[in-house]
Amino acid sequence: MGVHPKVGLNKGGKNASSDVGIKTIYLSFDDGPLSGTTNCIDICSREKIMATFFEVGWHQSRSAFGKKTYQQILNNGALFTLANHSYTHANNNYLNFYQHPDSALLDFIKAKSVLQTGNNITRLPGNNAWNLMGIKRASPLVLPLVNKLDSSGFNIIGWDLQWRFNKKGRPIQSPAALAIIVDSLFQHHQTVTKNQLVILMHDHMFRTPADSVKLEKFIQLLKQRGKYRFQKLTQYPGLKLS
Ligand SMILES: [Zn+2]
């Protein structure tokens, strides 16, 4: 886990070049361990689908449940990758967090030591920023932190598509509607990297049986297309080694 050949962006890289035509989906689940994480683990395991869990260090370390769920993900390295989503999740005060990039960097470093993810992939709380080899997308607010994370060897991966949730934390788009958007984004090359699509979901969206069924349905619809493969974000093109 965490070992990735050093490749260029998409063209001419040793392993990426042969894969460049294959449409690859990266499922990512944010903010766990939370209620709902276990359902995400179970469904992906049942469907034999790879996924990435962006975990919050505090959610892992605050309870026995958090540690146990974290361990379940770690134990299934064939299917799952853990990634760093900060320690505090900015205490959900994003403006303050990003205006203090030095303490924000320390927050990610603390999460790194707690989560022991085995890779240097991060995602900013509440912000769709990217920083990989040859890819940089950051608003002025987060740019100072993005630069500090970059200098410290972290990769930052945002998302191409979000399965949104309502005020009750339940999925908004239907599985069928979301799968059609996936098709469209690939078809019209509206992804950050061509033929690579990162989907953001949140563990807590799937805490009830009724909503868990939607996740399984979504995965089944994508599998039925027969033209997509699923990967962990450790395989995303352009990750820099540190
Ligand atoms: Zn988050």
Side-chain angles (χ1 to χ4, degrees):
M1 233 169 82
V3 179
H4 189 273
K6 195 159 191 164
V7 295
L9 277 179
N10 288 333
K11 296 164 189 134
K14 273 179 195 158
N15 81 336
S17 59
S18 57
D19 296 347
V20 76
I22 301 173
K23 293 179 172 61
T24 305
I25 293 172
Y26 304 85
L27 299 183
S28 62
F29 297 97
D30 279 21
D31 294 2
L34 284 175
S35 114
T37 305
T38 312
N39 288 336
C40 299
I41 294 170
D42 290 348
I43 290 165
C44 291
S45 300
R46 195 155 58 228
E47 295 292 334
K48 300 185 172 62
I49 286 292
M50 294 188 192
T52 302
F53 289 83
F54 281 93
E55 298 224 306
V56 174
W58 161 238
H59 292 173
Q60 184 265 14
S61 53
R62 67 182 169 181
S63 68
F65 165 81
K67 293 191 182 97
K68 180 174 156 234
T69 311
Y70 157 85
Q71 202 59 48
Q72 283 178 323
I73 297 167
L74 210 58
N75 288 347
N76 197 342
L79 280 186
F80 303 138
T81 286
L82 273 161
N84 183 339
H85 195 36
S86 82
Y87 186 79
T88 61
H89 205 271
N91 291 311
N92 294 315
N93 184 345
Y94 301 123
L95 193 59
N96 182 66
F97 186 73
Y98 293 119
Q99 283 175 340
H100 298 88
D102 286 313
S103 57
L105 174 64
L106 290 176
D107 200 66
F108 276 95
I109 291 169
K110 184 173 182 183
K112 180 184 167 84
S113 83
V114 167
L115 294 172
Q116 297 288 322
T117 62
N119 60 64
N120 285 310
I121 299 172
T122 64
R123 177 175 283 162
L124 301 193
N127 193 285
N128 189 8
W130 291 71
N131 197 106
L132 304 171
M133 285 196 296
I135 299 173
K136 188 159 201 149
R137 296 192 177 192
S139 66
L141 174 67
V142 304
L143 187 60
L145 174 61
V146 166
N147 288 336
K148 284 177 190 295
L149 286 167
D150 186 30
S151 302
S152 303
F154 290 105
N155 295 284
I156 305 172
I157 298 184
W159 57 91
D160 296 295
L161 171 64
Q162 181 178 1
W163 196 346
R164 289 176 290 118
F165 55 88
N166 64 19
K167 283 178 184 164
K168 292 181 176 171
R170 304 191 58 189
I172 293 178
Q173 303 102 313
S174 71
L178 204 67
I180 288 169
I181 296 172
V182 169
D183 295 335
S184 171
L185 291 173
F186 275 124
Q187 195 179 344
H188 298 104
H189 304 301
Q190 291 173 322
T191 54
V192 169
T193 302
K194 188 180 174 185
N195 291 333
Q196 316 288 318
L197 190 143
V198 181
I199 302 177
L200 162 63
M201 296 168 280
H202 286 82
D203 304 26
H204 68 75
M205 293 164 58
F206 307 111
R207 63 196 182 280
T208 69
D211 291 328
S212 294
V213 167
K214 292 178 189 171
L215 174 59
E216 188 140 27
K217 180 70 185 169
F218 178 54
I219 290 171
Q220 288 168 348
L221 285 171
L222 294 175
K223 284 167 87 174
Q224 284 163 15
R225 303 295 208 253
K227 56 185 174 184
Y228 302 136
R229 69 168 178 183
F230 294 82
Q231 273 290 5
K232 302 180 279 189
L233 278 170
T234 41
Q235 297 304 309
Y236 194 91
L239 292 181
K240 61 180 185 290
L241 301 174
S242 61

